[in-house]
């Protein structure tokens, strides 16, 4: 069992919490975009209230531990490791509740290069205890607006985790995918589940648009979020997102392995 203290030390040493690589400039830019209801920042969430930049800064200071000082406009952002640990505990608790009743789960990531292995290990563990891990709409094309214009990507699954690929890029078991914030993939996946007659997911696990898009549609959703992802924390504050765990979502993929062990142990899913 990885202790809370050992994981806290790892979070700081790996840059998952404490001073993180995400810059203050990037975070503040996201808050400005979210306040303007820019879809690049809302990630599929339709906020119930108006969120000014100052409101978002206060929220992120409360949920993540970033500086609440509006005069702090440059440098690296900071995440409080205690908030990360508390978020991981809550995240594990939701997994445990669904696992106990052998529920249905959908996993998806917009960070396949970094987070696929983390989610895949959870999907494997949930499947092993009898949960149905959904893989709807595999191979479906989705048109997503990017800074380069509209691009057509393909929805694919690796070890039960959804991600988007460049057309023609798929090799069996290949973990190469594209970075995406869009909620369109989860909407396509959920629509396919509804059309198939399979059970709808009791829990959606992921990041970016996978969490916000599902939460906005009324599905319980939990996920990981960086300091420049205010949408997940707004969703959590407004009750659309069940758990948002603050951490740097773009460090080396192997740095998330201790988090995987911790969550699986906390959720009583270790094999």
């Amino acid at each position: 069992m990885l202790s809370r203290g050992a994981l806290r030390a790892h979070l700081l040493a790996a840059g998952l919490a404490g001073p993180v690589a995400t810059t203050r400039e990037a975070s503040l830019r996201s808050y400005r975009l979210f306040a303007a209801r820019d879809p690049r920042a809302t990630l599929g969430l339709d906020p119930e209230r108006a969120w000014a930049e100052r409101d978002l800064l206060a929220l992120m200071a409360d949920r993540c531990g970033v500086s609440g000082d509006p005069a702090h406009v440059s440098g690296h952002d900071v995440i409080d490791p205690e908030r990360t640990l508390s978020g991981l505990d809550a995240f594990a608790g939701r997994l445990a509740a669904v696992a106990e009743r052998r529920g249905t789960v959908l996993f998806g990531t917009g960070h396949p290069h970094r987070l696929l292995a983390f989610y895949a290990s959870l999907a494997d563990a949930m499947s092993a205890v009898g949960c149905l891990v959904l893989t709807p709409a595999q191979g479906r094309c989705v048109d997503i607006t990017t800074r380069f214009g509209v691009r057509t990507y393909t929805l694919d699954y690796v070890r039960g985790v959804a991600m988007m690929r460049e057309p023609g890029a798929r090799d069996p078991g290949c973990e190469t995918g594209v970075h995406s914030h869009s909620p369109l993939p989860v909407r396509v996946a959920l629509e396919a589940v509804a059309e198939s007659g399979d059970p709808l997911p009791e829990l959606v696990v992921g990041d970016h648009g996978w969490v916000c898009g599902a939460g906005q549609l009324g599905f319980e959703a939990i996920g990981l979020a960086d300091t420049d992802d205010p949408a997940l924390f707004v969703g959590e504050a407004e009750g659309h997102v069940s758990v948002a765990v603050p951490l740097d979502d773009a460090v080396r993929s192997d740095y998330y392995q201790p988090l995987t062990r911790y969550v699986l142990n906390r959720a009583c899913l270790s094999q």
Side-chain angles (χ1 to χ4, degrees), residues 33-51:
L33 291 174
F34 190 97
R37 301 294 181 104
D38 190 306
R40 292 173 294 177
T42 55
L43 310 182
L45 190 72
D46 184 14
E48 296 174 1
R49 54 163 283 195
W51 288 85

Side-chain angles (χ1 to χ4, degrees), residues 110-269:
H111 267 295
H113 302 89
R114 309 297 186 183
L115 293 171
L116 179 62
F118 172 78
Y119 298 123
S121 295
L122 303 183
D124 289 344
M126 296 291 276
S127 180
V129 299
C131 292
L132 174 61
V133 176
L134 297 168
T135 57
Q138 182 157 9
R140 190 80 56 86
C141 291
V142 183
D143 293 331
I144 297 176
T145 301
T146 73
R147 66 180 183 273
F148 306 110
V150 177
R151 295 287 186 270
T152 300
Y153 297 117
T154 302
L155 181 59
D156 196 14
Y157 291 82
V158 173
R159 292 174 56 194
V161 183
M163 62 177 170
M164 304 308 296
R165 295 189 191 275
E166 296 277 3
R170 185 181 185 277
D171 293 316
C174 176
E175 298 185 359
T176 302
V178 298
H179 181 206
S180 172
H181 287 206
S182 175
L184 294 179
V186 76
R187 293 173 185 167
V188 168
L190 292 171
E191 182 180 17
V193 176
E195 291 174 349
S196 72
D198 288 334
L200 291 169
E202 297 173 44
L203 184 67
V204 177
V205 184
D207 46 62
H208 292 164
W210 286 91
V211 174
C212 291
Q216 184 62 43
L217 292 174
F219 294 88
E220 183 177 10
I222 62 176
L224 313 180
D226 210 331
T227 59
D228 60 352
D229 293 326
L232 280 83
F233 298 100
V234 170
E236 186 180 44
E238 292 190 342
H240 296 292
V241 173
S242 183
V243 178
V245 182
L247 51 70
D248 190 318
D249 59 10
V251 303
R252 282 173 35 179
S253 60
D254 57 310
Y255 287 173
Y256 298 97
Q257 290 177 2
L259 281 68
T260 304
R261 295 198 302 272
Y262 182 83
V263 167
L264 291 176
N265 277 312
R266 294 285 297 184
C268 299
L269 290 169

Side-chain angles (χ1 to χ4, degrees), residues 4-9 11-12 16-18 62-65 78-90 244-246 262:
R4 187 181 177 94
L7 182 58
R8 187 183 192 280
L11 292 172
L12 294 171
L16 286 157
D62 177 63
R63 300 294 170 117
C64 300
V78 175
I79 294 175
D80 177 6
E82 291 299 325
R83 288 172 169 84
T84 304
L85 291 166
S86 295
L88 289 170
D89 289 344
V245 182
Y262 182 83

